[in-house]
Amino acid sequence: MHGTGDVTGLPGFAEGKFHVQDLSSQLLCAFVSPQPGERLADVCAAPGGKSFTLAEYMENTGVLDAFDLYKGRVNLIKKGAERLGLSIIHAAVRDAATGVCEKQYDRVLCDVPCSGLGVIRRKPEIRYKKQESFKELPALQLKILEHSAQLVRPGGMLFYSTCTLRNAENGAVVTEFLKRHPEFEPYDLPETEGISHMVNEPKFMRTMMPMDHGGDGFFAAAMRRKTETGKETKR
């Protein structure tokens, strides 16, 4: 095709026929795998791409609350959901690390702020960031994960993800979370055809490398909140 530099100008975009998303983000949404009629929270949702895909998995039935810290970015989610006809998405301003929410959900996604080193091919300016600027990120990421865990119902699922390849922001954060929160347990991610295990890590974690499948560098982990009786709950 020619003249496709501006995606918004492609036929069908304005009519909500499609949205654009990197393969790694699509794989993350496949891991979350929400079902029609469920309740889901995306706590760091802007600009909304993952929320849109998750709502499509849910066949636009149920509840999907998409939160973000800034009003302008929340408006991006609202506009995108309206364009795509995804009426179950409710976008609102909320601080993922401290914000109040009285609801509980079947699945909660924490796609946290990170160093972004996995998307450096699309954002080359990241290479000029000073390493010192990354030092405070793991503490913030853990705070968001711990605060968001309160939103997960017993037997529900908690997902953590970043677009970086730094273990300090990935496996180390999840390991510390599980150490502090015995009410959660690892939940193995499904194998994905064509995606190799290029990092030695447990089955509930998955590091996705650009050289493996052509998508962004990405990390995902899945955990399940134990039921009050301690019995297994099928996903």
Side-chain angles (χ1 to χ4, degrees):
M1 295 181 67
H2 299 281
T4 57
D6 181 7
V7 173
T8 63
L10 290 174
F13 183 87
E15 294 78 21
K17 300 294 185 181
F18 68 92
H19 63 100
V20 178
Q21 189 173 44
D22 182 80
L23 177 59
S24 294
S25 294
Q26 294 178 46
L27 289 170
L28 170 63
C29 293
F31 291 151
V32 178
S33 187
Q35 303 301 303
E38 287 188 335
R39 299 174 61 86
L40 186 145
D42 186 353
V43 302
C44 302
K50 297 180 187 68
S51 292
F52 304 154
T53 300
L54 294 169
E56 290 163 355
Y57 268 94
M58 298 167 70
E59 299 177 8
N60 202 34
T61 62
V63 173
L64 198 163
D65 288 336
F67 301 114
D68 203 81
L69 183 59
Y70 301 106
K71 183 178 179 180
R73 290 171 61 80
V74 168
N75 287 335
L76 291 176
I77 302 171
K78 291 179 178 178
K79 289 178 180 178
E82 182 178 2
R83 179 179 66 83
L84 294 165
L86 298 171
S87 59
I88 67 167
I89 295 179
H90 307 284
V93 175
R94 178 180 177 272
D95 188 328
T98 61
V100 176
C101 182
E102 302 295 335
K103 301 178 184 178
Q104 285 201 315
Y105 299 87
D106 299 298
R107 301 172 200 260
V108 174
L109 171 61
C110 303
D111 184 42
V112 298
C114 68
S115 57
L117 297 177
V119 297
I120 201 167
R121 61 178 179 168
R122 292 192 286 109
K123 298 181 179 180
E125 68 276 9
I126 291 174
R127 73 179 67 237
Y128 300 111
K129 286 186 176 181
K130 295 181 179 180
Q131 289 292 318
E132 299 80 53
S133 66
F134 301 153
K135 288 183 179 179
E136 304 301 321
L137 286 170
L140 173 62
Q141 292 157 345
L142 180 59
K143 186 175 182 180
I144 289 174
L145 187 58
E146 289 189 303
H147 194 61
S148 300
Q150 302 173 41
L151 304 179
V152 183
R153 67 164 176 80
M157 299 293 300
L158 176 63
F159 297 87
Y160 176 84
S161 66
T162 73
C163 59
T164 190
L165 299 174
R166 293 181 70 234
N167 182 62
E169 299 179 58
N170 294 343
V173 171
V174 174
T175 299
E176 181 62 24
F177 171 82
L178 288 171
K179 188 184 301 182
R180 296 187 185 189
H181 295 274
E183 72 273 22
F184 281 85
E185 61 187 359
Y187 191 92
D188 289 353
L189 292 169
E191 295 297 326
T192 304
E193 185 177 354
I195 306 299
S196 307
H197 286 272
M198 302 187 75
V199 174
N200 184 18
E201 58 194 353
K203 291 183 178 181
F204 74 99
M205 299 181 189
R206 188 69 48 82
T207 300
M208 292 167 265
M209 295 287 196
M211 69 285 286
D212 182 37
H213 64 290
D216 288 337
F218 225 83
F219 174 82
M223 293 154 282
R224 189 186 73 93
R225 185 169 189 168
K226 300 174 185 177
T227 61
E228 295 178 0
T229 60
K231 295 180 180 178
E232 292 293 321
T233 299
K234 292 183 178 180
R235 184 177 172 186

